[in-house]
Amino acid sequence: MEEAIKAMEKCDGKVKVGAVLVVDGEVVAVGSKMGGTHAERSAIEAARERGLNLKRAALYTTLEPCVDINTGQRRQCCADLIVSEGIPEVIIGRYDPNPNVYRKGWKRLRDGGVRLRDFPMDLRNSIDAINDKFMDFFSSGIGPSGGAKIDHKEPAKFRIQFSADDNRYMEIGWTLCGINAAYGSAVDPVKVALARFASNFDEVDDPTAYEFGHSARIAVGEVGVFVGPEACVLVKPKEIQSGPDYGAENHFVKFDYVVRIIKPRSHSLK
Ligand SMILES: [Zn+2]
């Protein structure tokens, strides 16, 4: 596990991932995510070049192996590659905070008959410390109401789970547009609107009644509404900082939110 974390340091991108293959207690190949090639693939290809049989190997990877996100992906995803190589055991450092991958890599491996274990917490923390901006980029909260702070360098996505008992969620985005205001940004099927002149959640009667789009400017003290097929999430920014005073590339958004369910969860899906 420590060798895999060390391999993270050689990566060139923002998201650092390291992987090592171990056979009979010995490290036989090391991979670092580089130039778009994932660490797991790089370790597996290095082992292949040496003609090694991986049917008794364990793969230690600092990030959950990926699954196909885009249709028509050029390369086989790492989870499928691991299964097709017949690697019997994978030890995962950190589950991918990207909701498009989170736990899907684990599931794909489990369904492929791979034995799975996790890194211990102290080593997971070491991984997060190396990838701190990546981990901040996808943060999340649990409804039906709450508050959050996002401190980030890029457009930030925030995932709000409807409630502790309802694991459906909506993803909302923030991009900054200056001091004291931000653009709420939404990706289909979610849309966003400003509840113009409202200054608290109680003033919003039917949250689906507004003019929705993919982006809406929401200033501190105003109320914005994200609407999706199953719920609305009302947001109220309390503090927004960006620009030269805060650090030209850094953005900070502190906001309250409340979830209003449109479509109750169907119990037959449970
Ligand atoms: Zn991958």
Side-chain angles (χ1 to χ4, degrees):
M1 292 181 225
E2 280 164 359
E3 290 288 318
I5 293 171
K6 257 190 232 157
M8 293 173 75
E9 279 152 21
K10 299 204 183 92
C11 297
D12 53 5
K14 192 177 57 161
V15 180
K16 301 189 189 307
V17 185
V20 303
L21 277 163
V22 172
V23 177
D24 297 332
E26 216 178 292
V27 174
V28 296
V30 180
S32 302
K33 180 171 178 283
M34 237 182 289
T37 300
H38 289 183
E40 305 94 306
R41 171 173 293 277
S42 150
I44 289 168
E45 285 176 354
R48 263 196 208 145
E49 268 171 37
R50 293 180 54 193
L52 295 169
N53 181 348
L54 298 178
K55 301 271 191 287
R56 281 185 298 130
L59 177 74
Y60 294 77
T61 176
T62 61
L63 182 69
E64 174 179 17
C66 65
V67 291
D68 287 319
I69 296 180
N70 310 310
T71 48
Q73 212 162 281
R74 203 162 43 88
R75 277 176 170 168
Q76 189 180 26
C77 65
C78 292
D80 285 349
L81 176 66
I82 291 162
V83 170
S84 65
E85 287 291 323
I87 296 171
E89 183 170 26
V90 173
I91 302 91
I92 296 173
R94 182 61 155 84
Y95 292 103
D96 196 321
N98 180 345
N100 291 323
V101 181
Y102 178 71
R103 294 285 289 170
K104 287 184 183 171
W106 181 91
K107 181 178 185 297
R108 183 75 61 88
L109 293 167
R110 183 201 64 185
D111 294 348
V114 176
R115 232 174 13 255
L116 290 150
R117 287 192 288 132
D118 300 310
F119 281 34
M121 191 192 281
D122 59 327
L123 294 180
R124 292 202 301 269
N125 291 340
S126 313
I127 293 168
D128 285 359
I130 296 170
N131 276 336
D132 61 339
K133 288 299 165 197
F134 174 57
M135 297 304 168
D136 286 352
F137 181 78
F138 292 102
S139 42
S140 60
I142 295 178
S145 63
K149 279 190 298 194
I150 307 183
D151 195 348
H152 59 102
K153 280 194 194 255
E154 313 239 349
K157 287 180 196 166
F158 191 80
R159 171 157 71 164
I160 296 171
Q161 183 175 320
F162 294 173
S163 74
D165 308 320
D166 185 342
N167 61 9
R168 295 177 300 169
Y169 62 86
M170 185 189 286
E171 209 170 86
I172 69 168
W174 289 112
T175 54
L176 276 287
C177 65
I179 311 291
N180 295 332
Y183 289 108
S185 66
V187 176
D188 275 332
V190 177
K191 288 195 159 70
V192 60
L194 174 70
R196 198 175 180 194
F197 305 126
S199 55
N200 62 62
F201 296 142
D202 293 346
E203 290 179 281
V204 174
D205 178 23
D206 181 347
T208 65
Y210 303 102
E211 283 298 318
F212 288 94
H214 292 292
S215 170
R217 187 179 186 278
I218 306 164
V220 168
E222 292 185 319
V223 174
V225 180
F226 289 84
V227 64
E230 297 171 311
C232 290
V233 172
L234 283 60
V235 295
K236 184 179 169 181
K238 295 167 79 177
E239 191 183 346
I240 295 171
Q241 299 200 41
S242 67
D245 292 343
Y246 188 64
E249 292 184 328
N250 286 296
H251 309 307
F252 173 87
V253 187
K254 188 174 170 189
F255 63 101
D256 284 338
Y257 61 84
V258 60
V259 179
R260 293 200 195 160
I261 304 290
I262 299 171
K263 209 170 125 195
R265 182 167 55 172
S266 152
H267 287 276
S268 60
L269 288 175
K270 266 181 135 179

